[in-house]
Amino acid sequence: MGGSPTALNYLNGEWIGSGPTAESVNPADGSVLGRYVPGSKALADQAAAIARETFERTAWAASPRLRAAVLYELADRLEAAKEELADLIVAENGKLRREALGEMMGSISETRYYAGLARTVLGRTLETAPGNFSMMNREPAGVAAIIVPWNAPVTLLIRSLGPALAAGCTVVIKPAPQTPLIHHRVMQCLHACPSLPKGVVNSVNENGIEVGAALVASDDIDVISFTGSSRTGKRIMAGAAPNLKRLSLELGGKAPAVVFDDADLDQACRELTNGALMMAGQICIAAARFLVQKSIEKEFTDRIRAAFSAVRVGPGRDPESGMGSLIDHDNRTRICRLIEQAGDEGELVLKGGVPDGPLSRGAFVTPSLFRIDDLHSELVQEELFGPIVSIETFEDELEAVTKANATKYGLAASVFSLDINRVMRVSRAIRAGTVWLNCHSRLFAEGETGGYRHSGLGRLHGVEGLNDFLETKHVYLEAGAV
Ligand code: NAD
């Protein structure tokens, strides 16, 4: 994008960008990376009208091979740009270079996965009596608005955009205000796809809630695919009620990791250090509560404290760094307040904070662990979204499950034990959309993810990821006796 990039809006195959701009800032050092042009309600309405017109008046919805071709082209362009995009993710988001490259590789894989599925959107047919045919046809649901958060701006766009395009929807995207340059670069990849018809994908930036709210209210939008906090998800649900939009809501989490006394503690500590601290804990599926069997509390605590202490916090571009920065200084302040609160309400096993020296200029915070028993504490109940994890204990399996299910969230969980019957039993009892056994944080295109309870509605990834973007139509034919 050249020296000082500006992220524009994208409507009907054209870049739209005039008027005042807002800054994009590198969270690791506070430098200004570039600017973006925020959209408006008027632009959001225009984008939705273009997507509606394209859906209704072009062959897109009825052209699965064209849709597959576009997705393969996009995957190729993302692949060609992956190193550049990974650098940009590090700069604008603050995560580690290897996490950023992993985000790109996962997104490319997912784009190809949905390119394949685009040609196999299957319905069902049954003959209820000789000559009487019931056809359950799958049709695209219409125009989808995709609202994206900042923590994995490429993956979380692609895992909605892939199935939306594969299903035959047209799209309006609203990226997060913290990561507009990353999003703009992905949109450039899309724009470069020779098979993509104009108007199929449109994108409007913003730095408030005007554009998102306009899309939620728009009569031209049929589906909202939202990834973000449970609080915003509930607002969107309320905003979408008047015109009964279909909702795909991928919301917050508070993943418990249950560690039994027969677990391989080397494996558990390795998995949980990464599972809790990847992306500096700013990921919905982060291991947020370590639930440890009482008999191994001391040994587990000693080991996990040593593992957390050994994580070197630093700039994402430095290969020696083991954890990058938070997204901004407001979040640094918020996490520092939570560390104090954890000391007041529980016992700080490892007290993190703002590192000394040059890193203090960036949004860096070192990891924290705190021991707590109060299930009602907001530190246990609420998503903290940073490198701060509780250690809680249980006596037996029943108590482990009860505690694991004790928050309103149900996105992900993990269980550590060498007893295969136990891990399977506990996986059934935990109310979460994903349960990892003897590992944590494995996400890939083929495996559905989504939330129970306040963690959301619907599933993304996998074959079921298409469902949020498809309608089922029953077509009935009485051909007469054959
Ligand atoms: P957020 O809810 O503040 O914002 C998400 C997106 O919604 C942003 O693009 C934001 O601009 C937009 N938005 C905010 N208010 C809106 C409104 N009233 N109407 C329409 N759009 C609105 O979340 P965030 O801080 O950007 O992201 C972190 C959150 O996302 C965490 O809670 C995390 O758990 C969640 N998350 C969930 C998943 C998942 O798969 N379940 C994945 C990643 C992140």
Side-chain angles (χ1 to χ4, degrees), residues 148 150 159 174 226-229 232 250-252 284 383 385:
V148 189
W150 49 264
R159 74 173 185 175
K174 195 213 78 64
F226 170 77
T227 303
S229 62
T232 306
E250 292 280 337
L251 308 179
C284 51
E383 183 177 44
F385 225 58

Side-chain angles (χ1 to χ4, degrees), residues 146-152 156 159 174-178 206-216 224 226-233 235-236 249-254 279 282-285 327 331 383 385 409 411 443 449-451 455-456 460-461:
I146 300 175
I147 300 178
V148 189
W150 49 264
N151 64 332
L156 299 177
R159 74 173 185 175
K174 195 213 78 64
Q178 296 90 340
E206 77 166 342
N207 56 1
I209 58 164
E210 182 183 330
V211 170
L215 294 175
V216 170
I224 303 279
F226 170 77
T227 303
S229 62
S230 298
R231 196 183 43 175
T232 306
R235 281 197 196 130
I236 286 177
L249 300 176
E250 292 280 337
L251 308 179
K254 184 78 179 177
M279 292 161 58
Q282 302 167 111
I283 176 165
C284 51
I285 49 144
I327 187 67
N331 274 285
E383 183 177 44
F385 225 58
Y409 295 105
L411 190 63
L443 295 176
T449 52
S455 288
L460 288 176
H461 295 304

